[in-house]
Amino acid sequence: MKTPEELRSHRWFGGDDLRGFSHRARARQLGYGPGEHLGKPVIGILNTWSDVNPCHLHLRERAEQVKRGVWQAGGFPLEFPVATLSETYQKPTPMLYRNLLAMETEEILRSYPIDGAVLMGGCDKTTPALLMGAASAGLPTIFVPAGPMLRGHWRDEVLGSGTDMWRYWDDRRAGLIGEQELSELERGLARSPGHCMTMGTASTMTSAAEVLGLTLPGAASIPAVDSAHHRMAAASGARIVELVWEDLTIGRVLDERAYADAVTTVLALGGSTNAVIHLIAMAGRSGIPLSLADFDAIARRVPVLANIRPGGAWLMEDFYYAGGLPGLLSRLTGLLHPERVTVSGRTLGETLETARVHNDDVIRPLDDPIAPEGGIAVLRGNLAPSGAVIKHIAAEARLLTHTGPAVVFENHADLRRRINDPALGITADSVLVLRGSGPLGGPGMPEYGMLPIPDRLLAEGVRDMVRISDARMSGTSYGACVLHVAPESAAGGPLALVRDGDRITLDVPARALRLDVDDAELIRRRAAWTPPATRYERGYGALYAQHVTQADEGCDFDFLARPGRNPEPDPR
């Protein structure tokens, strides 16, 4: 156990010298008396709340509950507002700014008199960004997930945010519903604070944070507005104080076993393809090697047990009542590492001793899974030498082995402009190809990967086609969408060489993605290819373009992902 003199904050507030005197005087200026903070763990609460982020609308209130827990445990809480990364509003994509929030998190934790951190987030990019920064900073850390919103409702139907948005928008394009129905759907799709209640990126990543051992048990699936969420926030505040005294740092929790268990869990959840990028980046910050090959190897032995949209039938609120993540993990114990430590102070196995499943349709038994293999497949071939991914459990089975002619779009603007052009001759057998949408080309790798099906085909009843891009896709989306093609087209990857009419073969069982064009022709095309013009001449965009890695490496900045010393500041 640490002593008060061993606290990191003591370097700021302790000592009989000018800087200690100055720091204590400024604490008095803030209105804090000596007994409130001296000799106590200083807890930094990093809050991603903002007026423009509906996923985090309640986090201002939750921060007060975290503070309550910190005070009750004898700590001293300080709240820090950090970048909010609203998936719904930030353009061109919050993925462009994930690394910015990670940098902000690391530097705030490093540069202020903070002994332990409470990270508050949930909207897609906030969870990995906060955890990446915290992993680099290395302090005792606990994560408070924002929690899923309540189920959506429209007339007599239960709605899932994102998933049913895509579905009903296609119905509107096909002429099956009109403006009245659309107006009603707008009012019923998202009914409360909280992130998407499907197994999109938000629920996938908060679940990953829990299985990594960085939340209290069961925290990830509590609905945002449930009173249990209030209690979890307060309990997390109390626990972080204990973590500081115990010196249980984030680095002691995030080992190779933790990341293997996170991959296993994401696959068993039928989770978002975005988790592949984020977990690779997070593992890199922890100094743990993690690759697409690891995802593919684990996927072949992990069944999908969570019957949650878009790959299943239920929603996160149902998942919570069915036993939540502890319930699901209790059915995977033979595939996990139960002996490893978590921020609860108990091992993973000990936290699961009382876990139960209360609905076998929401969380399936091992002998009755949604799918016998994990919900994400890694593809390779001459079109994706460094890999690509597909969420095949959310695609029509007939398309998992498919060969068809390419119809190529240079970027998202070109796609929007021409997708309904009858001169393209798009049929249900065509392979829609979008390039210019990766980390460099997007920029920031936007969620363009669920390419729209032409209106004419929607009206004919077509609801899925093979689509290939170097973009990402919302975790709430569905379809036979091949994503994260690496290297991306803007970096000279083979996707840049595809032409209209080229035959492309997708073979998910064989994990293959192939451009059926001979090597000599591809060499000729490459010789004629020129890289796109630089998009940003200054600012953060220029920094991003100079240092971002490709999708298979996690899209982190190379100077943040590499190992190396980053010394503690001298507060004197």
Side-chain angles (χ1 to χ4, degrees):
M1 296 288 288
K2 280 188 173 181
T3 66
E5 292 73 27
E6 293 173 318
L7 292 173
R8 186 172 180 270
S9 59
H10 181 76
R11 294 165 45 213
W12 274 261
F13 295 115
D16 184 19
D17 58 15
L18 174 62
R19 300 316 299 168
F21 165 69
S22 173
H23 293 143
R24 293 190 297 272
R26 293 301 186 177
R28 307 301 164 263
Q29 180 186 12
L30 289 167
Y32 300 123
E36 293 183 78
H37 72 99
L38 290 180
K40 297 180 178 181
V42 176
I43 305 302
I45 302 169
L46 275 58
N47 193 347
T48 52
W49 172 90
S50 81
D51 275 331
V52 79
N53 193 335
C55 305
H56 298 176
L57 198 60
H58 56 306
L59 291 189
R60 173 180 276 180
E61 177 189 6
R62 290 297 176 277
E64 295 304 312
Q65 287 135 16
V66 172
K67 291 177 186 177
R68 185 181 81 214
V70 173
W71 285 118
Q72 289 173 345
F76 179 64
L78 294 173
E79 185 177 357
F80 294 80
V82 292
T84 193
L85 305 193
S86 172
E87 195 68 33
T88 46
Y89 292 111
Q90 193 169 28
K91 305 300 179 189
T93 168
M95 183 63 177
L96 183 65
Y97 302 104
R98 183 200 67 179
N99 297 345
L100 184 63
L101 175 55
M103 292 171 68
E104 182 182 21
T105 299
E106 177 180 354
E107 297 308 324
I108 282 178
L109 295 180
R110 187 185 307 282
S111 61
Y112 281 97
I114 295 173
D115 298 301
V118 177
L119 311 177
M120 304 186 69
C123 192
D124 296 14
K125 312 305 176 294
T126 56
T127 300
L130 291 166
L131 295 181
M132 288 163 65
S136 294
L139 301 181
T141 301
I142 197 165
F143 184 72
V144 173
M149 68 178 88
L150 297 177
R151 304 180 189 95
H153 281 280
W154 177 57
R155 297 181 180 178
D156 65 342
E157 185 175 346
V158 174
L159 300 176
S161 59
T163 301
D164 285 307
M165 176 188 74
W166 308 116
R167 180 163 66 93
Y168 279 113
W169 187 253
D170 281 351
D171 282 353
R172 192 245 194 184
R173 291 172 58 216
L176 300 178
I177 62 173
E179 295 304 318
Q180 175 63 37
E181 290 84 358
L182 207 63
S183 178
E184 294 174 9
L185 284 161
E186 286 180 9
R187 297 192 295 270
L189 194 61
R191 300 171 44 242
S192 78
H195 58 67
C196 289
M197 72 303 237
T198 51
M199 189 49 68
T201 306
S203 291
T204 301
M205 293 311 303
T206 55
S207 296
E210 180 173 334
V211 74
L212 283 168
L214 295 176
T215 79
L216 294 183
S221 48
I222 303 172
V225 296
D226 194 296
S227 62
H229 201 269
H230 300 239
R231 298 191 298 273
M232 178 272 294
S236 297
R239 179 59 187 150
I240 187 60
V241 177
E242 296 170 348
L243 289 173
V244 172
W245 290 125
E246 296 166 10
D247 199 25
L248 182 55
T249 62
I250 191 171
R252 292 175 56 194
V253 176
L254 295 182
D255 61 15
E256 191 169 357
R257 298 168 300 170
Y259 283 104
D261 289 352
V263 174
T264 297
T265 302
V266 164
L267 294 167
L269 288 168
S272 169
T273 51
N274 288 309
V276 178
I277 294 175
H278 296 319
L279 283 172
I280 288 174
M282 290 161 58
R285 294 298 190 94
S286 299
I288 304 296
L290 186 66
S291 70
L292 290 179
D294 295 313
F295 277 85
D296 197 53
I298 294 173
R300 293 175 186 272
R301 61 177 184 266
V302 175
V304 179
L305 301 185
N307 187 11
I308 305 173
R309 301 181 201 182
W314 300 86
L315 296 169
M316 285 300 293
E317 192 174 348
D318 307 300
F319 184 65
Y320 173 63
Y321 297 133
L325 194 69
L328 180 133
L329 296 178
S330 72
R331 292 187 163 172
L332 294 171
T333 51
L335 299 170
L336 302 174
H337 297 84
E339 74 284 359
R340 60 185 180 82
V341 68
T342 71
V343 296
S344 71
R346 296 175 290 163
T347 66
L348 176 65
E350 289 170 340
T351 68
L352 298 179
E353 287 176 357
T354 58
R356 299 290 183 273
V357 174
H358 310 298
N359 186 325
D360 283 341
D361 189 42
V362 179
I363 303 174
R364 295 289 186 85
L366 283 171
D367 59 1
D368 184 28
I370 296 295
E373 290 189 353
I376 297 172
V378 176
L379 310 172
R380 296 187 187 274
N382 67 343
L383 193 52
S386 298
V389 301
I390 183 172
K391 188 173 182 177
H392 55 294
I393 64 164
E396 291 186 9
R398 64 182 178 84
L399 295 172
L400 299 183
T401 303
H402 179 82
T403 298
V407 179
V408 182
F409 300 94
E410 294 299 326
N411 50 49
H412 195 246
D414 181 39
L415 171 69
R416 295 197 313 269
R417 184 172 59 252
R418 295 197 298 130
I419 188 63
N420 287 311
D421 185 350
L424 294 178
I426 298 174
T427 71
D429 290 329
S430 298
V431 175
L432 303 181
V433 175
L434 173 65
R435 54 189 174 215
S437 302
L440 296 171
M445 207 178 179
E447 293 181 339
Y448 296 158
M450 187 179 170
L451 282 65
I453 294 170
D455 292 355
R456 173 178 52 83
L457 294 181
L458 286 173
E460 294 173 5
V462 176
R463 285 296 185 274
D464 201 2
M465 296 176 64
V466 174
R467 289 158 276 182
I468 300 173
S469 72
D470 45 16
R472 295 179 303 110
M473 181 175 80
S474 168
T476 66
S477 301
Y478 51 87
C481 301
V482 177
L483 311 160
H484 311 178
V485 172
E488 65 172 305
S489 58
L495 201 66
L497 309 180
V498 182
R499 294 181 179 175
D500 287 338
D502 288 348
R503 305 285 288 181
I504 294 177
T505 295
L506 167 66
D507 189 342
V508 173
R511 301 298 197 263
L513 182 66
R514 185 174 66 252
L515 177 61
D516 297 327
V517 175
D518 66 67
D519 292 343
E521 173 60 19
L522 292 177
I523 290 172
R524 284 191 292 271
R525 293 182 188 181
R526 180 166 297 285
W529 179 77
T530 56
T534 300
R535 183 183 297 266
Y536 293 102
E537 295 182 354
R538 58 165 302 280
Y540 176 75
L543 176 74
Y544 182 93
Q546 291 167 11
H547 294 285
V548 70
T549 61
Q550 288 291 293
D552 61 302
E553 299 175 300
C555 298
D556 200 358
F557 288 160
D558 52 13
F559 64 87
L560 294 175
R562 68 183 178 224
R565 182 170 174 266
N566 201 354
E568 277 277 295
D570 182 358
R572 302 298 173 186

